[in-house]
Amino acid sequence: QKVILAGCELLRSLTRAKRYLNQRIVVGLDCFQNLILGNGASLADRSVFPARLTHESRERLMAELVAGSLAQSSSFTSLITPIEGQLQRLVHLSESELCANVDSVHLLTSLLSGLSLGASSSTQDIVIDKLFSYLEAIQELVRKSAKDVSMIEPFLHLAKTIAEALLPSTTTAHTFAFFVFCENLLTLYGSLAQAEKTTSDFSVESIQSVLELLMFLLAKDFVDFANPTVDHVDAIAVVFSGLVTVLPHVSSDVLLIPAICQTFFELVGHLCSDHADRFVSLPPHLSSALTQSIDFGLRHDNASIARESLRGVEGLVAGGAISQETALKWLTDIFQLVIFEDAVWDRMDAFADALFSLCCAQQTQLEGLVSMMVTSQSNPEHQQRLGTAFQHLFSLNNLSFELNRTQRITFRKNLKHFVGEARSFLRLK
């Protein structure tokens, strides 16, 4: 593996060299044939890559070889042809035969991922045409071979890689086909994940692949405004269904993984903020899973994750997508956080926006909640000072409970004053 990775670094350096004007260094496959064979494996039925390479090494080596090839060169053809042959061979196998060829399926997805990552300005158009023409065959391969989460994970990784590397440059027709492919893939993943009784390493990897895929699909929606005269898929609907699919499996233990946690809350923050109406009819068990994950994010040490969680709170409240019980709980929790938590100043504006939405939505309950928080203080002096601080919070600078930009800015100022005032005596022993 070390030799292959060193070869990849050499390939990267050569293909990016700018020493010769009007020339490009093209690295052909033949130059590295001995290196590949020297790893101790036969090329028989293995395309051009040996069995002993890890999936990551195959993917990277394929990416570097594609990056060093020109679209019409023999080296590029020698990379593409075996992949097409392998795909057609696997598609025509029966389900039982595919079960005996799991390694070949994984190898194929690694090579296809490398193909998409290695696309350059010279090869991008032909790589896109090739890969997107394979989608139907890959979908059939998924249907036949993916019998559990561990089997579908390589396909999720492939879809994520294609979305990352190629989706920003695809046409509307290609985009439509890819979103349909992803929708079917996520639906199958949901049915398989639901059958999983325990969270395995494979399922955690699949969760990360799904979340990253959804973020890349969401980014495509930002930049690709659909032409109403052509076929179009509802990108937000696909992303939302993907989130709903993965949501029951994103436990507090899974959120301890930094990469998953960051991606998950970026996704939740955006969807809750801009598409809260999608959450109104969420089933109770999914609504509970969502609120529990947001509770986790509210208390996170990472300011970015906490801000995205608060953004989610603000969006759900403004969209009427949560119950009064949940809203009151969040209102109480956030007041407790801004008063007693150490790390608040780097997320104070997000706290203010979420609190203001909650206060506007719960005006009839606000007075009783404030009274309860004040009377919970055992020290009479603290009760008096906290009551005064709350009075200033809701009255300074002519604050009114109207959800507009001016009042939001006013509440931000008032909350900073309130936090400084309340923390000055409540956090002192």
Side-chain angles (χ1 to χ4, degrees), residues 80 84 115 125-135:
I80 294 293
E84 292 178 337
L115 177 62
D125 289 343
I126 189 171
V127 167
I128 289 175
D129 287 339
K130 289 286 187 181
L131 272 173
F132 282 76
S133 69
Y134 302 157
L135 288 182

Side-chain angles (χ1 to χ4, degrees), residues 406-419:
T406 300
Q407 296 306 317
R408 289 180 192 278
I409 294 174
T410 299
F411 189 80
R412 287 182 181 183
K413 295 177 182 178
N414 289 4
L415 183 65
K416 291 174 183 177
H417 177 81
F418 167 82
V419 170

Side-chain angles (χ1 to χ4, degrees), residues 4-64:
I4 292 296
L5 293 177
C8 288
E9 289 299 329
L10 177 59
L11 280 168
R12 180 180 292 273
S13 300
L14 290 174
T15 56
R16 287 155 179 76
K18 302 293 183 182
R19 294 176 58 188
Y20 303 104
L21 294 177
N22 301 321
Q23 293 186 23
R24 180 178 179 183
I25 298 177
V26 180
V27 181
L29 178 63
D30 293 342
C31 302
F32 285 83
Q33 196 75 293
N34 291 333
L35 172 63
I36 295 172
L37 288 171
N39 201 43
S42 169
L43 291 181
D45 196 33
R46 289 288 177 181
S47 181
V48 293
F49 290 83
R52 293 187 183 180
L53 288 180
T54 63
H55 300 314
E56 293 79 6
S57 296
R58 290 188 192 118
E59 180 181 296
R60 185 174 179 187
L61 182 55
M62 183 68 180
E64 297 302 338

